[in-house]
Amino acid sequence: MILAGKTAVVTGGGSGIGAAVARALAREGAAVLVCGRRIAPLQWVRDEIVREGGTAIALAADLTQEADLNRVVRETDRQWGRLDVLVNNAGILGVRAPIAEYPLKVWDDVLDVNLRTVFRVTKALLPLMTRGGSIINVSSGVGRAGRAGWGAYAVSKFGVEGLSQVLADELRERGIRVNTLNPGGTRTAMRATAYPDEDPTTLPTADAIAPVFVFLASEEAKGVTGRAIDAREWLVGGREGLLKRHRRPAL
Ligand code: NAP
């Protein structure tokens, strides 16, 4: 088990990609805290992990709210006293609309959840990352090349890319790797909302892409930091392909 003895926080861990990643991290031996606004799906993920012999904590938290975020930090500290892996996965889509018609309130909400909260969660949990580790920020294809109709969602993910580059540079000396991961089209509720006419069975499941998160969380990804990675690279080229493309000397 390549994550034995490690601890992880997965935001938005009750559904879709976050739930699959939490299960995959736990299967490799990590103790996992999953958080999100709705407690029921989080408890379901926790129970599934525990049934499989893993360790998990479910915590209801609206991460845009300071008091909720503080509870996540306190609980992580109380349970483990440290953190090795942070997966900033929670996100919202907003609306699909051109900028000229984009509602201000939705713009603010999307930027709040998808960007400001990634900054705040990371800042709040960093003091617990005392022995190096890995931060994986979930991005998107439209966070790397803008596309009509993706509005605040695309802009928020561009922000996540920038935040991650700055962080990777700042945390290199502490042995904390920071990368962004674009899942690519994945069979989840958010994808179905964005593409209502698409046949979901044509897309990879969240479980199919979860192993790339495990890899990035583990020591196997040593030397991979400050990189913008696509889950498709993993699906096509596997571990070796990904290392060849993204590993850099140092760290
Ligand atoms: P999802 O199932 O809708 O997951 C989003 C998660 O974020 C939910 O578990 C949600 O839980 C949580 N969340 C939203 N607002 C929150 C808040 N204020 N506080 C705490 N948690 C919050 O969709 P998904 O597809 O798995 O998305 C996961 C990530 O992948 C997102 O960052 C998304 O942008 C990215 N992504 C997905 C695709 C795709 O094709 N699926 C492609 C590119 C990028 P609650 O509702 O319970 O809070």
Side-chain angles (χ1 to χ4, degrees), residues 24-36:
L25 295 173
R27 266 184 217 124
E28 285 298 335
V32 183
L33 184 149
V34 285
C35 54

Side-chain angles (χ1 to χ4, degrees), residues 95-185:
V95 296
R96 299 284 312 276
I99 296 291
E101 291 158 24
Y102 207 91
L104 180 61
K105 170 79 173 83
V106 181
W107 178 276
D108 287 345
D109 287 347
V110 172
L111 268 293
D112 190 8
V113 177
N114 292 8
L115 179 56
R116 189 172 185 269
T117 295
V118 174
F119 157 67
R120 292 185 66 241
V121 169
T122 305
K123 188 174 178 212
L125 285 168
L126 262 180
L128 293 178
M129 299 186 76
T130 50
R131 54 176 198 186
S134 173
I135 298 174
I136 304 166
N137 292 331
V138 180
S139 185
S140 168
V142 295
R144 295 173 184 169
R147 222 182 310 149
W150 283 88
Y153 180 85
V155 173
S156 71
K157 297 297 190 182
F158 267 91
V160 166
E161 295 286 344
L163 170 67
S164 304
Q165 288 183 17
V166 173
L167 260 179
D169 206 29
E170 290 175 355
L171 299 177
R172 204 178 296 269
E173 297 302 315
R174 281 176 60 181
I176 301 173
R177 295 179 294 100
V178 185
N179 294 286
T180 60
L181 184 61
N182 166 29

Side-chain angles (χ1 to χ4, degrees), residues 11-18 35-39 41 61-64 88-92 113-114 138-141 153 157 182-191:
T11 70
S15 67
I17 293 166
C35 54
R37 288 167 301 181
R38 295 162 297 153
I39 189 64
D62 179 343
L63 293 167
T64 63
N88 280 309
N89 163 78
I92 56 174
V113 177
N114 292 8
V138 180
S139 185
S140 168
Y153 180 85
K157 297 297 190 182
N182 166 29
T186 308
R187 203 184 305 172
T188 70
M190 184 188 287
R191 177 74 186 192

Side-chain angles (χ1 to χ4, degrees), residues 7-9 31-35 46 55-61 67-83 124-125 128:
T7 61
V9 167
V32 183
L33 184 149
V34 285
C35 54
R46 178 201 61 198
T55 303
I57 301 162
L59 206 60
D68 286 16
L69 171 57
N70 288 342
R71 275 194 304 114
V72 171
V73 177
R74 268 203 313 275
E75 194 58 16
T76 307
D77 192 17
R78 194 176 73 80
Q79 294 280 347
W80 306 317
R82 60 161 212 282
L83 183 67
L125 285 168
L128 293 178

